[in-house]
Amino acid sequence: MSRADDALPPPTGAPRLLDHLIELRARLLRGAVGVIVVFVALMPFAADIYTLLAHPLLKTLPGSGHLIATDPAGGFFVPMKLAFMTALFATAPWLLYQAWAFVAPGLYRQEKRVAMPLLVSAVGLFYLGCAFAYFVVLPAAFGFLAKFTPEVVAQTPDIGKYLDFVLVIFLAFGASFELPVALVILVLLGWVTPAQLREWRGYAVVGIFVVAAVITPPDVVSQLMLAIPMCLLYEAGILASRLVARR
């Protein structure tokens, strides 16, 4: 080997990739440990959490209404599933922080200043959408459906199907409330402008009502309760995108 070869710096691509993989593994492990710790802490309260989740439905059931478990082991596994989903829900900020800590070193200062408010807003809006679904949408939807249920029909919902139904509603409303963040990101990427968002307002309203009709239960109340907030959030997204575009 010549002296010229000795003077060449060693390749650094592989070690850097290995460092990134080690860092990624560490972040994933920290996130998983956080979820497991919260899940273990919630396990003794799984039945109480399910009772709290079923409260909007229990209020609308006639007489001594109650839920049933068609699966012999459903009385155990369904609350445990809810406890795990609650742990994911509660540790979402911790999981996003781990993702942010992994990505942030590769961002410019200006990108960090923009990404952090968007990340915090996305988490807050998702929680707000889930809270809106629990406190407003579910009681109104169950009350509306109970009025049209014949008296000869015994309402005894299955605990597993009810949990799946509520989780879908939470995911639908939580994701729908991310609309302002999505609009701001589109403006930051240069794909649309605030002026175009204002021009497309009519099409957006039609699309919102179509989406609400698809992802909500087949009743008018829940569809309106998703479509109206989304229309307001669309307007909020236009205002936020205008502020971002000016800066």
Side-chain angles (χ1 to χ4, degrees):
M1 183 179 297
S2 63
R3 294 182 178 179
D5 294 334
D6 294 337
L8 293 176
T12 59
R16 289 181 178 177
L17 178 60
L18 183 60
D19 293 339
H20 289 316
L21 293 177
I22 294 175
E23 175 70 13
L24 178 60
R25 184 185 64 178
R27 295 296 176 184
L28 291 176
L29 287 176
R30 292 174 185 175
V33 168
V35 174
I36 293 174
V37 169
V38 176
F39 172 62
V40 172
L42 292 177
M43 285 179 61
F45 310 99
D48 297 330
I49 297 174
Y50 192 93
T51 302
L52 182 64
L53 184 69
H55 184 66
L57 176 62
L58 294 176
K59 291 192 304 183
T60 63
L61 295 180
S64 58
H66 57 275
L67 282 74
I68 62 173
T70 56
D71 185 358
F76 172 78
F77 286 109
V78 172
M80 288 297 106
K81 177 182 177 181
L82 176 59
F84 179 75
M85 298 304 298
T86 305
L88 285 177
F89 183 82
T91 57
W94 170 250
L95 298 176
L96 290 176
Y97 169 75
Q98 298 301 323
W100 170 258
F102 177 75
V103 175
L107 300 178
Y108 294 106
R109 181 181 302 176
Q110 183 178 2
E111 293 174 339
K112 292 180 181 179
R113 292 173 58 184
V114 174
M116 180 57 71
L118 288 177
L119 186 62
V120 174
S121 300
V123 175
L125 288 173
F126 185 84
Y127 283 159
L128 181 62
C130 294
F132 181 79
Y134 178 79
F135 291 105
V136 179
V137 177
L138 291 181
F142 292 143
F144 177 82
L145 295 175
K147 292 180 181 180
F148 291 91
T149 302
E151 296 182 358
V152 296
V153 177
Q155 301 184 48
T156 53
D158 178 67
I159 60 174
K161 293 183 178 180
Y162 174 74
L163 176 60
D164 295 338
F165 173 81
V166 173
L167 291 179
V168 171
I169 292 296
F170 280 0
L171 181 61
F173 276 81
S176 300
F177 272 53
E178 303 289 340
L179 183 58
V181 177
L183 296 180
V184 171
I185 292 176
L186 292 177
V187 172
L188 289 174
L189 294 175
W191 293 356
V192 296
T193 63
Q196 290 176 328
L197 294 177
R198 291 194 301 270
E199 293 175 359
W200 298 341
R201 182 182 286 113
Y203 300 102
V205 171
V206 175
I208 286 172
F209 274 88
V210 172
V211 171
V214 172
I215 66 177
T216 57
D219 63 278
V220 179
V221 175
S222 58
Q223 294 174 10
L224 291 176
M225 286 189 172
L226 178 59
I228 294 175
M230 284 188 67
C231 292
L232 298 177
L233 291 170
Y234 185 85
E235 298 297 329
I238 294 177
L239 295 176
S241 62
R242 290 177 58 185
L243 295 176
V244 172
R246 289 176 182 177
R247 293 182 181 181

